[in-house]
Amino acid sequence: QITLKESGPTLVKPTQTLTVTCTFSGFSLTTNGVGVGWIRQPPGKALEWLAFIYWDDEKHYSPSLESRLTITNDTSKNQVVLTMTNMDPVDTGTYFCAHSNLYDIVTGYGNYFDYWGQGTLVTVSS
Amino acid sequence: ETVMTQSPATLSVSPGERATLSCRASQSVSSNLAWYQQKPGQAPRLLIYGASTRATGIPARFSGSGSGTEFTLTISSLQSEDFAVYYCQQYDNWPRAFGQGTKVEIK
């Protein structure tokens, strides 16, 4: 059974760095094809894709946020960590992590998000 | 970057009626398109992937179609639990992208 859970501060001040952690179980990020992504959602607004990391440490970032984002994988702890620098009130929202697999037995190509964490709400305010 | 555009923003439908949601990609994403359902206070749930394949446990009243740049999610007979926000997402190229969502509300 695959589960993911996000954790991190509920409140950060403007200009600070946010660190959110995704702790997962039921899969390993050393398995060929597996990946974890981060998605956020401002209150009342749409989902926004942020970053992604594959089992082989290949990484991808949202171009508009790339200069502020770092995604890393700690295989020993079954965790994926996202850091976002220079936080601003517009970064307020729920941050989700989600599982993905490059391979799908039906279509051959996966990479959609099939399991999601519950999300963690981060408020940026002084 | 591929921009995903969903329409309409809000769809008012009576229970038992059909709902048709649209998603357009700014460039071809082949069939690498997923649909998610999100209810208030919950994480998104995968409904459809590969443009038309239902995820595990998804009822048959949900169906997806399309390829390239035009996609449709159809809910054949809306149940009370289907009133939610629906997002499409392309996973064909980087960066991945979500549409802005369609809210399906009770008429």
mmCIF file of all heavy atoms in Angstrom, chain A residues 6-24:
data_model
loop_
_atom_site.group_PDB
_atom_site.id
_atom_site.type_symbol
_atom_site.label_atom_id
_atom_site.label_comp_id
_atom_site.label_asym_id
_atom_site.label_seq_id
_atom_site.Cartn_x
_atom_site.Cartn_y
_atom_site.Cartn_z
ATOM 1 N N GLU A 6 3.062 14.715 3.842
ATOM 2 C CA GLU A 6 3.879 15.914 3.848
ATOM 3 C C GLU A 6 4.010 16.469 5.265
ATOM 4 O O GLU A 6 3.076 16.347 6.071
ATOM 5 C CB GLU A 6 3.251 16.988 2.952
ATOM 6 C CG GLU A 6 2.967 16.562 1.531
ATOM 7 C CD GLU A 6 1.622 15.855 1.362
ATOM 8 O OE1 GLU A 6 0.978 15.533 2.400
ATOM 9 O OE2 GLU A 6 1.193 15.616 0.218
ATOM 10 N N SER A 7 5.135 17.087 5.528
ATOM 11 C CA SER A 7 5.322 17.733 6.819
ATOM 12 C C SER A 7 6.202 18.966 6.622
ATOM 13 O O SER A 7 6.997 19.038 5.673
ATOM 14 C CB SER A 7 5.965 16.778 7.825
ATOM 15 O OG SER A 7 7.214 16.308 7.363
ATOM 16 N N GLY A 8 6.030 19.908 7.529
ATOM 17 C CA GLY A 8 6.803 21.132 7.446
ATOM 18 C C GLY A 8 6.167 22.211 8.279
ATOM 19 O O GLY A 8 5.146 21.978 8.944
ATOM 20 N N PRO A 9 6.732 23.402 8.252
ATOM 21 C CA PRO A 9 6.188 24.487 9.066
ATOM 22 C C PRO A 9 4.841 24.953 8.537
ATOM 23 O O PRO A 9 4.587 24.926 7.326
ATOM 24 C CB PRO A 9 7.244 25.594 8.916
ATOM 25 C CG PRO A 9 7.864 25.329 7.591
ATOM 26 C CD PRO A 9 7.875 23.843 7.429
ATOM 27 N N THR A 10 3.985 25.383 9.430
ATOM 28 C CA THR A 10 2.689 25.922 9.014
ATOM 29 C C THR A 10 2.793 27.413 8.715
ATOM 30 O O THR A 10 1.976 27.952 7.979
ATOM 31 C CB THR A 10 1.640 25.703 10.094
ATOM 32 O OG1 THR A 10 2.087 26.325 11.309
ATOM 33 C CG2 THR A 10 1.408 24.226 10.342
ATOM 34 N N LEU A 11 3.813 28.058 9.284
ATOM 35 C CA LEU A 11 3.974 29.494 9.105
ATOM 36 C C LEU A 11 5.437 29.821 8.841
ATOM 37 O O LEU A 11 6.322 29.360 9.582
ATOM 38 C CB LEU A 11 3.490 30.233 10.355
ATOM 39 C CG LEU A 11 3.596 31.757 10.352
ATOM 40 C CD1 LEU A 11 2.656 32.353 9.313
ATOM 41 C CD2 LEU A 11 3.279 32.313 11.744
ATOM 42 N N VAL A 12 5.681 30.572 7.796
ATOM 43 C CA VAL A 12 7.031 31.066 7.523
ATOM 44 C C VAL A 12 6.953 32.565 7.254
ATOM 45 O O VAL A 12 5.913 33.064 6.786
ATOM 46 C CB VAL A 12 7.702 30.350 6.329
ATOM 47 C CG1 VAL A 12 7.874 28.872 6.619
ATOM 48 C CG2 VAL A 12 6.934 30.564 5.055
ATOM 49 N N LYS A 13 8.036 33.259 7.532
ATOM 50 C CA LYS A 13 8.065 34.707 7.310
ATOM 51 C C LYS A 13 8.561 35.006 5.902
ATOM 52 O O LYS A 13 9.332 34.224 5.313
ATOM 53 C CB LYS A 13 8.966 35.370 8.332
ATOM 54 C CG LYS A 13 8.501 35.237 9.780
ATOM 55 C CD LYS A 13 9.398 36.014 10.721
ATOM 56 C CE LYS A 13 9.074 35.783 12.178
ATOM 57 N NZ LYS A 13 7.649 35.905 12.491
ATOM 58 N N PRO A 14 8.136 36.118 5.352
ATOM 59 C CA PRO A 14 8.664 36.529 4.040
ATOM 60 C C PRO A 14 10.188 36.565 4.066
ATOM 61 O O PRO A 14 10.789 36.959 5.067
ATOM 62 C CB PRO A 14 8.062 37.922 3.864
ATOM 63 C CG PRO A 14 6.792 37.882 4.641
ATOM 64 C CD PRO A 14 7.097 37.032 5.848
ATOM 65 N N THR A 15 10.772 36.163 2.957
ATOM 66 C CA THR A 15 12.209 36.046 2.688
ATOM 67 C C THR A 15 12.828 34.788 3.285
ATOM 68 O O THR A 15 13.935 34.422 2.895
ATOM 69 C CB THR A 15 13.048 37.270 3.154
ATOM 70 O OG1 THR A 15 13.210 37.225 4.579
ATOM 71 C CG2 THR A 15 12.428 38.581 2.728
ATOM 72 N N GLN A 16 12.125 34.079 4.152
ATOM 73 C CA GLN A 16 12.672 32.846 4.709
ATOM 74 C C GLN A 16 12.649 31.728 3.687
ATOM 75 O O GLN A 16 12.011 31.833 2.633
ATOM 76 C CB GLN A 16 11.906 32.436 5.974
ATOM 77 C CG GLN A 16 12.197 33.302 7.181
ATOM 78 C CD GLN A 16 11.545 32.763 8.440
ATOM 79 O OE1 GLN A 16 10.550 32.026 8.407
ATOM 80 N NE2 GLN A 16 12.095 33.147 9.591
ATOM 81 N N THR A 17 13.339 30.637 4.025
ATOM 82 C CA THR A 17 13.358 29.440 3.198
ATOM 83 C C THR A 17 12.405 28.408 3.771
ATOM 84 O O THR A 17 12.427 28.136 4.966
ATOM 85 C CB THR A 17 14.776 28.850 3.113
ATOM 86 O OG1 THR A 17 15.629 29.777 2.416
ATOM 87 C CG2 THR A 17 14.777 27.516 2.378
ATOM 88 N N LEU A 18 11.563 27.856 2.895
ATOM 89 C CA LEU A 18 10.641 26.793 3.279
ATOM 90 C C LEU A 18 11.278 25.436 2.997
ATOM 91 O O LEU A 18 11.848 25.231 1.916
ATOM 92 C CB LEU A 18 9.348 26.911 2.480
ATOM 93 C CG LEU A 18 8.369 25.732 2.582
ATOM 94 C CD1 LEU A 18 7.750 25.687 3.972
ATOM 95 C CD2 LEU A 18 7.294 25.820 1.499
ATOM 96 N N THR A 19 11.152 24.528 3.948
ATOM 97 C CA THR A 19 11.554 23.141 3.736
ATOM 98 C C THR A 19 10.372 22.244 4.068
ATOM 99 O O THR A 19 9.883 22.261 5.195
ATOM 100 C CB THR A 19 12.749 22.760 4.612
ATOM 101 O OG1 THR A 19 13.869 23.592 4.281
ATOM 102 C CG2 THR A 19 13.132 21.303 4.385
ATOM 103 N N VAL A 20 9.871 21.544 3.075
ATOM 104 C CA VAL A 20 8.784 20.588 3.279
ATOM 105 C C VAL A 20 9.285 19.190 2.927
ATOM 106 O O VAL A 20 10.045 19.021 1.973
ATOM 107 C CB VAL A 20 7.524 20.932 2.464
ATOM 108 C CG1 VAL A 20 6.771 22.078 3.112
ATOM 109 C CG2 VAL A 20 7.863 21.263 1.028
ATOM 110 N N THR A 21 8.844 18.232 3.721
ATOM 111 C CA THR A 21 9.311 16.856 3.574
ATOM 112 C C THR A 21 8.156 15.940 3.223
ATOM 113 O O THR A 21 7.072 16.051 3.802
ATOM 114 C CB THR A 21 9.968 16.390 4.888
ATOM 115 O OG1 THR A 21 11.066 17.241 5.185
ATOM 116 C CG2 THR A 21 10.448 14.948 4.772
ATOM 117 N N CYS A 22 8.386 15.065 2.287
ATOM 118 C CA CYS A 22 7.429 14.041 1.904
ATOM 119 C C CYS A 22 7.982 12.703 2.380
ATOM 120 O O CYS A 22 9.029 12.250 1.895
ATOM 121 C CB CYS A 22 7.256 14.036 0.397
ATOM 122 S SG CYS A 22 6.168 12.754 -0.251
ATOM 123 N N THR A 23 7.291 12.087 3.325
ATOM 124 C CA THR A 23 7.696 10.780 3.838
ATOM 125 C C THR A 23 6.749 9.744 3.263
ATOM 126 O O THR A 23 5.527 9.880 3.379
ATOM 127 C CB THR A 23 7.649 10.765 5.373
ATOM 128 O OG1 THR A 23 8.493 11.812 5.873
ATOM 129 C CG2 THR A 23 8.128 9.425 5.908
ATOM 130 N N PHE A 24 7.307 8.738 2.618
ATOM 131 C CA PHE A 24 6.465 7.779 1.911
ATOM 132 C C PHE A 24 6.749 6.350 2.349
ATOM 133 O O PHE A 24 7.789 6.056 2.957
ATOM 134 C CB PHE A 24 6.640 7.928 0.399
ATOM 135 C CG PHE A 24 8.063 7.813 -0.087
ATOM 136 C CD1 PHE A 24 8.627 6.565 -0.332
ATOM 137 C CD2 PHE A 24 8.834 8.948 -0.307
ATOM 138 C CE1 PHE A 24 9.931 6.458 -0.793
ATOM 139 C CE2 PHE A 24 10.136 8.850 -0.760
ATOM 140 C CZ PHE A 24 10.691 7.598 -0.998
#
